[in-house]
Amino acid sequence: MVLITYDVNTQTRAGQTRLRKVAKQCQNYGQRVQNSVFECVIDPARLKHLQAALENIIDTEKDSLRYYYLGDEWRTRIKHVGAKPSLDLEGTLIT
């Protein structure tokens, strides 16, 4: 499990485009749990691919990415309170 967070400067149209592209890439690999936060159950090879894609999108002078590596025991490290209960990321997503 990797938690990916990002902060993209959206003061320009280019920044707004970068924000959409970053979100779309993250949606391809995980579940949005907050506006700029995604939980991804992902193997190391796919993570490297995602990181490369994200790092090619952002402007490192204006934007930032953070990766939190929660490991295999991630279920014991996450506590959720409130609306939007999370999906079982390792379960069947299509019923």
Side-chain angles (χ1 to χ4, degrees):
M1 166 72 83
V2 178
L3 190 72
I4 300 174
T5 69
Y6 54 88
D7 186 21
V8 176
N9 183 313
T10 58
Q11 293 178 335
T12 64
R13 186 171 297 266
Q16 294 167 6
T17 299
R18 289 193 311 275
L19 177 67
R20 285 189 298 275
K21 287 181 179 181
V22 167
K24 186 171 182 157
Q25 278 295 322
C26 289
Q27 286 174 334
N28 290 334
Y29 291 89
Q31 168 185 238
R32 184 189 299 261
V33 293
Q34 296 286 325
N35 285 338
S36 297
V37 181
F38 282 81
E39 292 175 345
C40 303
V41 175
I42 189 169
D43 64 65
R46 290 184 70 211
L47 177 59
K48 291 292 183 196
H49 184 268
L50 175 57
Q51 288 173 324
L54 292 173
E55 291 166 25
N56 282 328
I57 294 169
I58 69 164
D59 178 342
T60 57
E61 298 292 319
K62 300 176 184 174
D63 310 327
S64 66
L65 293 164
R66 294 180 69 96
Y67 305 98
Y68 296 89
Y69 303 95
L70 301 180
D72 292 332
E73 301 300 320
W74 60 272
R75 284 180 187 82
T76 62
R77 296 184 177 127
I78 298 173
K79 178 180 177 182
H80 176 264
V81 177
K84 295 185 181 179
S86 58
L87 300 172
D88 177 3
L89 295 175
E90 295 179 312
T92 303
L93 296 178
I94 299 174
T95 58

